[in-house]
Amino acid sequence: MKSMKKTRSSAPGKLMLFGEHAVVYGHPCIVTAVDQRINAEVELIGGDEVEVIAPSIKFSVAINKIDILQAPKEVKFVLAAVRIFAKKHGINKGLKITTISAFASSFGFGSSSAVTVAVIHGLHELFEIKVTKKELFEMCYQAVLDVQGVGSGFDLAAAIWGGTLLFVTGGKKIEPLAIENLPISVIFTGVKADTVTLVKQVSELRDRHPKIVDGIFKQIGAVVLSAQVALANSDWNQLSELMNINQGLLESLGVSTPLIHRVSDEAKEVGATGIKLSGAGGGDCLVALGELKGQRKFDVLEIGLQAAGVRSEKYE
Ligand code: PMV
């Protein structure tokens, strides 16, 4: 169908630095945006169909008949984003949405959250509707909850605000942190983690041992607040210790794995002073401090941290 108008928005992925899991229960976490972006082109077309063109699939559905449960998993977040926007602004026009990712979803950089943010941002640009960061967050958070039912929304905040943030679940607190330098290495374990399963696993552990698990969450919250100070002071010794403590607490929640242990030991052998898993656990990436020298048995990803939040891109 003939294109009438088009916009392009891009949003960054994220890396959790401190506080995963405890953040779901009201404690703060620290997250940074990575310079790996997802682009969403949003186009007005005739009729009332939403056509989604994702890297691995094409899918279309009438805008007022979007059914997230029935939709293929590759397009669920895009459709949830369209549905939220359409409902809020009473729009039922035909749309074509093309998503282009700079990174593989296997790294755990938050491709679903970045795509949700890029689509809702692009739709606002397309219909020339002003939106604040907080309003954008609320809409995106609802879209993510519609698809996966759980999550703190930290990844959405990173995709919207960019930089490095102190974040509390549901966006109760979103505080940009002024950090000059973040000499953190990102190590890929080679295994994709399943966030929703791990969040449920921790919730079941908490059901069985509520006092103990809440105590661990509280300690993780304290680590996060100390890490905030250490980051502001560029105190890498302190931060290394806090990373190792945070990793120990995550291990006690049962979300670390023999693979994460092995890669952490290998990184320590070549110079890592502090290392922890990043995100839900089970795999994905590790974050490490200290200069990694010599031969490495693991993959270090060359990515920039503290990337810019969602923005409009020029459309050629
Ligand atoms: O697996 P990731 O990178 O999406 O991180 C999940 C972090 C949790 O705290 C476990 C869940 C959440 O939504 O905050």
Side-chain angles (χ1 to χ4, degrees):
M1 226 166 276
K2 194 173 168 293
S3 162
M4 292 147 77
K5 195 178 169 193
K6 208 174 202 175
T7 62
R8 181 188 280 204
S9 296
S10 81
K14 57 76 185 124
L15 255 187
M16 181 72 98
L17 297 181
F18 289 92
E20 45 274 271
H21 288 291
V23 64
V24 178
Y25 298 87
H27 299 280
C29 72
I30 298 176
V31 58
T32 192
V34 299
D35 68 354
Q36 307 282 306
R37 308 183 76 84
I38 288 199
N39 281 263
E41 277 172 24
V42 181
E43 211 171 321
L44 204 52
I45 55 176
D48 68 348
E49 291 272 304
V50 183
E51 295 176 24
V52 183
I53 305 185
S56 57
I57 192 174
K58 283 186 188 162
F59 182 81
S60 66
V61 60
I63 191 159
N64 53 9
K65 296 221 165 64
I66 293 175
D67 180 346
I68 305 298
L69 282 178
Q70 299 299 322
K73 67 175 185 339
E74 297 88 340
V75 297
K76 279 186 194 290
F77 288 92
V78 173
L79 290 177
V82 171
R83 193 174 64 171
I84 291 279
F85 177 86
K87 236 189 196 167
K88 174 151 184 189
H89 299 295
I91 280 160
N92 56 6
K93 295 194 161 136
L95 296 165
K96 179 169 158 191
I97 298 182
T98 310
T99 62
I100 308 137
S101 175
F103 58 92
S105 62
S106 56
F107 292 144
F109 286 156
S111 46
S112 321
S113 47
V115 88
T116 306
V117 169
V119 168
I120 300 193
H121 182 271
L123 285 166
H124 282 89
E125 296 281 297
L126 188 73
F127 289 94
E128 296 174 13
I129 300 170
K130 283 212 172 351
V131 63
T132 64
K133 286 189 170 108
K134 196 70 211 277
E135 285 163 350
L136 190 57
F137 176 85
E138 298 300 342
M139 293 172 80
C140 294
Y141 191 44
Q142 192 52 57
V144 166
L145 290 181
D146 287 349
V147 177
Q148 64 182 32
V150 295
S152 64
F154 78 104
D155 39 9
L156 298 166
I160 295 170
W161 273 261
T164 301
L165 307 170
L166 186 80
F167 176 86
V168 176
T169 191
K172 289 193 193 89
K173 186 174 202 171
I174 302 174
E175 186 184 325
L177 303 178
I179 297 162
E180 274 177 32
N181 181 13
L182 202 51
I184 283 177
S185 302
V186 182
I187 297 171
F188 182 48
T189 59
V191 168
K192 169 101 191 80
D194 180 354
T195 304
V196 173
T197 304
L198 286 154
V199 169
K200 287 192 178 143
Q201 191 183 301
V202 170
S203 145
E204 285 159 16
L205 186 74
R206 182 173 182 254
D207 289 344
R208 292 194 294 277
H209 311 279
K211 274 204 180 129
I212 298 169
V213 172
D214 280 342
I216 296 170
F217 290 153
K218 215 169 152 196
Q219 293 198 35
I220 293 177
V223 168
V224 169
L225 295 181
S226 295
Q228 186 188 356
V229 177
L231 278 167
N233 297 332
S234 300
D235 186 341
W236 311 124
N237 292 335
Q238 183 84 352
L239 212 63
S240 290
E241 278 181 8
L242 292 165
M243 266 190 181
N244 294 332
I245 295 171
N246 198 161
Q247 172 62 21
L249 293 164
L250 287 164
E251 278 176 30
S252 62
L253 291 177
V255 295
S256 199
T257 62
L259 172 68
I260 291 174
H261 272 261
R262 202 189 70 220
V263 178
S264 300
D265 286 346
E266 286 169 359
K268 282 181 185 158
E269 276 163 23
V270 296
T273 49
I275 188 159
K276 64 178 277 298
L277 63 84
S278 167
D284 286 348
C285 288
L286 311 184
V287 284
L289 275 168
E291 200 186 333
L292 305 175
K293 300 185 200 109
Q295 281 262 312
R296 298 169 193 153
K297 297 185 195 145
F298 48 85
D299 286 337
V300 177
L301 303 181
E302 296 300 326
I303 55 158
L305 305 179
Q306 310 217 74
V310 67
R311 64 184 179 216
S312 302
E313 299 287 347
K314 280 224 167 58
Y315 191 78
E316 318 79 44

